[in-house]
Amino acid sequence: QVQLVESGGGLVQAGGSLRLSCAASGSIISINTMGWYRQAPGKQRELAADINSGGSANYVDSVKGRFTISRDNAKNTVYLQMNSLKPEDTAVYYCNALIRITRAFESRYWGQGTQVTVSS
């Protein structure tokens, strides 16, 4: 059984900052890519940022220069530092991780989501 537990969402004014955290726990052999997706009301879920086990990060164009993704492999935790937040960043943010739970089996897991609301 694997769980992803997110924290750090909330309400912030435009221009402010928030830091999201997501910790993976359970029967984990290794974690490949970890990332953050987001879904705004009436829109499709999109990848905001992800990071592989070697630390290489990937960002959607709309967050480049404002968001920073990082991970602590020893803690099985991924972070998303969000600066210069804009109202259009308002969404439910979901943690996602590609986790190996046996030598032969790897699967993608999701967190429960955390709300980020940016007021103008």
Side-chain angles (χ1 to χ4, degrees), residues 3-119:
Q3 278 191 316
L4 299 182
V5 178
E6 300 145 341
S7 60
L11 173 64
V12 65
Q13 287 189 330
S17 298
L18 284 173
R19 188 188 193 216
L20 306 182
S21 300
C22 171
S25 62
S27 301
I28 297 170
I29 291 179
S30 62
I31 303 179
N32 193 339
T33 302
M34 302 184 82
W36 291 93
Y37 286 70
R38 63 185 185 178
Q39 188 166 20
K43 294 189 176 182
Q44 286 192 328
R45 191 175 297 189
E46 66 168 0
L47 174 67
D50 64 13
I51 183 169
N52 65 19
S53 57
S56 294
N58 177 51
Y59 300 92
V60 67
D61 285 347
S62 59
V63 308
K64 285 181 180 177
R66 300 188 297 120
F67 290 11
T68 302
I69 190 169
S70 61
R71 63 190 283 174
D72 184 333
N73 292 329
K75 296 182 179 180
N76 289 337
T77 299
V78 63
Y79 306 97
L80 187 67
Q81 178 67 43
M82 305 184 293
N83 298 329
S84 302
L85 282 161
K86 303 176 181 180
E88 50 264 44
D89 295 317
T90 294
V92 178
Y93 283 70
Y94 297 91
C95 176
N96 177 272
L98 184 59
I99 298 175
R100 183 169 298 281
I101 60 172
T102 70
R103 280 197 288 179
F105 185 73
E106 190 175 55
S107 183
R108 195 169 291 278
Y109 293 87
W110 292 91
Q112 78 281 3
T114 185
Q115 178 70 47
V116 171
T117 302
V118 184
S119 63

